[in-house]
Amino acid sequence: DVQLVESGGASVQAGDSLTLTCVASGQTYSSFCMGWFREVPGKELEGVATIYNGATVYADSVKGRLTISREGASLYLQMNNLQPEDTARYYCAAYAARDGSVCEYKIHTGQTDYTYWGQGTQVTVS
């Protein structure tokens, strides 16, 4: 199993920047899609970014403002120029995959069936 713990969520002003962190533990995750998702009450869960062996893929809605990165057991989401529409609960998730094309396919088709999930961290932009 993989355990994921997010942190870094906060209440910020429009235009601010914020970095979310996800620390992974448990099973080796070198061949996992690692992704960030966000959920707004009443709306569908949205995949915003994924990374696999250093290759990154972003949802069109966040390109240019969000940056996903990974260092060791930690996954990061750097968010710049935050807007009220970025208000959501952000989740870190992991999915075992043979290659990065699976990760890219999932984010572009809106698939959110990742295997392991963190508890989420709230970002509020006003």
Side-chain angles (χ1 to χ4, degrees):
D1 284 355
V2 176
Q3 291 78 46
L4 303 168
V5 179
E6 304 96 333
S7 62
S11 295
V12 297
Q13 299 295 312
D16 285 353
S17 297
L18 197 63
T19 299
L20 305 182
T21 300
C22 171
V23 178
S25 62
Q27 182 180 345
T28 179
Y29 51 94
S30 58
S31 297
F32 279 74
C33 302
M34 299 296 296
W36 285 100
F37 296 77
R38 63 186 182 186
E39 185 175 43
V40 177
K43 294 187 178 180
E44 291 187 355
L45 185 66
E46 177 189 17
V48 296
T50 186
I51 187 168
Y52 183 93
N53 282 345
T56 59
V57 181
Y58 298 92
D60 290 341
S61 60
V62 302
K63 276 184 180 177
R65 295 193 303 115
L66 272 60
T67 303
I68 188 172
S69 63
R70 181 175 167 181
E71 183 175 349
S74 296
L75 182 73
Y76 304 99
L77 185 67
Q78 171 69 40
M79 301 186 290
N80 298 321
N81 190 25
L82 284 162
Q83 300 301 310
E85 55 265 34
D86 295 315
T87 294
R89 190 164 186 84
Y90 286 74
Y91 295 89
C92 167
Y95 179 88
R98 291 186 177 182
D99 61 74
S101 64
V102 173
C103 315
E104 183 172 3
Y105 179 80
K106 284 184 174 294
I107 199 168
H108 286 321
T109 59
Q111 293 185 28
T112 59
D113 58 335
Y114 275 48
T115 308
Y116 304 102
W117 293 84
Q119 82 289 350
T121 186
Q122 180 68 34
V123 174
T124 302
V125 186
S126 59

